[in-house]
Every structure is written in C-alpha cells, then in structure tokens.
Amino acid sequence: MQLTHGGDWEGYRREYGGMPLDFSANVSPLGMPDTVRQAAADALADAWRYPDPLCRQLRDALAAYHGVDAGQIVCGAGAADLIFRLVLARRPRRALVTAPTFAEYEQALALAGCAVEHLTLREETGFVPGQDLLDAVRPGIDMVFLCEPNNPTGRTSPKAFLQQVLARCAGCGALLVVDECFNEFLPDPAGHTLTGELSGEHGKNLAVLRAFTKSFAMAGLRLGYVLCGDAALAERLYHCGPPWAVSGPAQAAGMAALQAAPHCLPKLRAVIGAERPRLAAALEAMGCKVIPGEANYLLFYHALPDGSPDAGLAARLRTKGVLLRDCSNYLGLGPGWYRTAVRGTEENGELLKRLREVL
C-alpha cells in the first residue's frame, strides 16, 4: 500500500531496523504533557467497559473552552475522521478545494461521489488565496474546504478575508469547513480563529475542525473535534460514523490537555517562534527556496545544480536516518518540493547537519 502522508516510522524501521529522526510529521517537539499521558494511563483501568459514545465530559470541557454549546461539538478519531463525517452528513454535489492542501478533503469528497473544483494557489502570490477564491464561491458550490494555516504551505489568510469567504458561502448555501488543526502554533491563535463566527450571522454555514494531535503530541491517541454553527449538522455528524470512535483513554487525555493548555501552549509557541526562522534561514543558506510559513513546518524547494528539481532529496536523507515529507504528490506542487517539521534546537541542528551531507 502506498501511503500519502508522512510519519511512516514503521516502514522505516522495517527497512533499516531502527527508528528515524522524523521530520515528516508535524507534531509538537515538546512531546505529550506528563499530565495528559498520566490521564490516558489512568483511564486504562476502565478500558474493560465501552467508552461514552457521546464524549459528554469531553464535549462539556470543550464547550467551556471555546464558549459554545456542547450540542455544537462532535468528537472523532482525529480530524480526518470528522472530514469524512462532514462530507457524508452534507452529501455535497460540488465542492471547492484549494491546491496544494491536505489530501483528505478530496478523498472524502470523491468517496461521496462529489465533483471537486480546484483553486490552484500560486507561488508568486505566496500560496495565499485572494479574489480568485471569492469568485469561485458561487451558486452550485455546496461545500468549501480551507486549511488555516494551510498544509503544506504554512500560510494563513487574513481573518477579514475568511469572513468574506464565509459570507459568500452563506450567500450561496455552501458549508465552509475551516481546518484549524495547526491554529495553536500561530503567534496569535485567538486573533485568527473563526470559532467566534459560529454564533454570528453566518454561523450555520460554518464548521471548524480542531485536533489534539499536533499541539499536544497525541497523534497515536487519535482525537479531534468539530465545532458546528448548526447544531442539527452536529447531530447528523454523530450518525455518520461508528458510535465508539473515541476511546476512553483518548477522552481522558483530551480533558487533561485542555487543563494543561494555558501552561503548555504558550511554551510551545515560544519554541516554534524561535526555531522556525532559524531553520528557514539555514535552509535558504543551503540554496533552498523557503515559503515563509507561520506554523510548525516549512515548505521548501530544492533544485539540482543544472536547475532541474531535486526529486531525490527525501530518499537520500532517508539513508541518513531522517524522514522528510516529499510533497511531489500534492496537487499544485511537484518534484523538488518538500516539507519539514520545525522541532527543538538539538533536533533541528541534527537535521541540518545530515542535510548538508546529502546536499
């Protein structure tokens, strides 16, 4: 089977017999908070019983955290689970997706038999959408997916622009799905999120995706959630997937993560804010063209001395024990494009050392 994402440490281990330095998955370099790990471990004592299929305690905690009603929240096995549920709940006939962006949007839409229109983000405009996106949201479009910050570019759109997109979606009856799974890595997460629009004039046309995966290093526990402006949509979402999608340990870890957030997240943003520009500068010094991302990853391009795309960089780096995300399979990119996670000082230094060896 051909995987479309990074983070394939098991494939590396089977090939090389050890664990890699993984820069292909964008998970917090601080690791899982101790209180979160302990909460998940303690919950194993009750693992003999079914978990609460409605995630009521976790949804209550999330409702208080975001200032919404618990009836507007659905939890799932990561944000990817909820992307598929959203598509199944709405059954759109035609949807709009930017390119490049997270592959699961189109996969879910294709599975539902939905026609997909692509808005190609251009390198010359920094991979940031503009009036072309507003023009593309028109009658006949039933669903629009936007990733903020976008994966793999790391770029964001101004909040005022996103509000314009939401208004256009409301005008033609489309659902705007904003994926904010990397929002907590931004310098000002509260200033960029659209969660405040859920109770606004166009709230019923908005769904916001979030996950504990990245910011709390909980990728293996699989926990995400969606905030719906329309409680009726949330009710349909619950019935568009298995009833026990979120395990008991994952629910306990999520509640502990929310309690740890005021302490952990500012520390995480400080680390990423310091390391990202250093890593970007070092990549540029090696001849890479770096997109000025705003999250915990950087998209960059590398060419060979003859000017052709360096299509084998990830493979060469793999032999040195480092996994890099080859972005050639992203629609709108191609050979020579790569994404690297931003990790701590020591790990970033090791990446750069091995990168110099293969370049």
Side-chain angles (χ1 to χ4, degrees):
M1 297 181 184
Q2 184 67 37
L3 299 181
T4 58
H5 298 290
D8 184 22
W9 53 268
E10 177 63 15
Y12 180 92
R13 185 168 68 175
R14 289 182 179 224
E15 182 178 356
Y16 291 96
M19 291 296 284
L21 187 60
D22 192 356
F23 279 79
S24 68
N26 310 314
V27 178
S28 167
L30 301 182
M32 188 184 298
D34 291 338
T35 54
V36 176
R37 182 181 296 103
Q38 189 61 53
D42 291 345
L44 290 174
D46 290 324
W48 63 271
R49 71 174 90 221
Y50 283 102
D52 176 12
L54 300 180
C55 302
R56 280 166 282 203
Q57 291 186 39
L58 176 56
R59 285 168 56 229
D60 286 344
L62 286 167
Y65 187 78
H66 287 288
V68 301
D69 188 272
Q72 296 175 263
I73 303 172
V74 179
C75 298
D81 171 26
L82 296 161
I83 290 168
F84 283 83
R85 289 184 186 233
L86 280 163
V87 172
L88 289 174
R90 289 284 294 207
R91 290 286 178 180
R93 293 166 298 176
R94 183 170 294 273
L96 178 65
V97 177
T98 59
T101 197
F102 190 53
E104 258 69 4
Y105 310 145
E106 184 160 0
Q107 289 180 6
L109 292 165
L111 186 65
C114 177
V116 178
E117 292 188 10
H118 298 100
L119 179 75
T120 302
L121 304 176
R122 301 185 304 278
E123 183 185 348
E124 55 267 29
T125 58
F127 293 106
V128 177
Q131 184 63 43
D132 51 352
L133 175 60
L134 293 174
D135 293 340
V137 181
R138 64 190 190 283
I141 295 293
D142 304 309
M143 184 175 280
V144 178
F145 278 96
L146 283 181
C147 193
E148 290 284 327
N150 191 25
N151 178 7
T153 66
R155 302 303 308 275
T156 63
S157 303
K159 185 173 181 177
F161 174 78
L162 296 176
Q163 291 168 330
Q164 287 182 281
V165 176
L166 175 58
R168 294 291 286 263
C169 286
C172 63
L175 177 69
L176 174 61
V177 181
V178 181
D179 184 342
E180 295 187 357
C181 286
F182 290 100
N183 186 72
E184 293 294 354
F185 291 95
L186 298 175
D188 181 20
H192 187 69
T193 180
L194 284 192
T195 53
E197 304 297 320
L198 292 165
S199 59
E201 178 185 2
H202 306 306
K204 289 188 180 297
N205 294 84
L206 176 64
V208 178
L209 285 163
R210 289 291 190 101
F212 293 88
T213 304
K214 314 296 184 179
S215 49
F216 294 99
M218 286 169 52
L221 283 173
R222 309 308 306 136
L223 180 58
Y225 58 99
V226 62
L227 306 157
C228 301
D230 184 359
L233 173 60
E235 178 71 21
R236 291 197 299 276
L237 281 179
Y238 171 73
H239 296 288
C240 287
W244 297 286
V246 184
S247 71
Q251 293 183 40
M255 288 184 284
L258 292 176
Q259 293 180 342
H263 168 71
C264 293
L265 294 182
K267 182 179 179 182
L268 174 61
R269 284 191 283 272
V271 170
I272 298 301
E275 290 298 321
R276 186 177 57 237
R278 293 175 189 165
L279 184 56
L283 289 170
E284 288 175 342
M286 288 187 227
C288 300
K289 178 168 53 180
V290 182
I291 303 303
E294 302 162 65
N296 63 325
Y297 49 92
L298 290 167
L299 177 68
F300 69 93
Y301 177 84
H302 188 258
L304 295 171
D306 64 3
S308 62
D310 186 354
L313 177 58
R316 298 199 306 277
L317 203 54
R318 183 183 179 90
T319 66
K320 297 289 185 179
V322 177
L323 298 185
L324 200 64
R325 176 64 162 94
D326 185 336
C327 293
S328 59
N329 64 345
Y330 274 94
L331 187 65
L333 294 179
W337 286 100
Y338 300 92
R339 189 195 67 202
T340 177
V342 177
R343 300 195 58 79
T345 303
E346 184 176 343
E347 288 178 296
N348 291 337
E350 191 61 32
L351 165 69
L352 293 171
K353 174 188 173 184
R354 301 185 199 185
L355 193 55
R356 290 187 186 97
E357 293 174 3
V358 301
L359 291 180

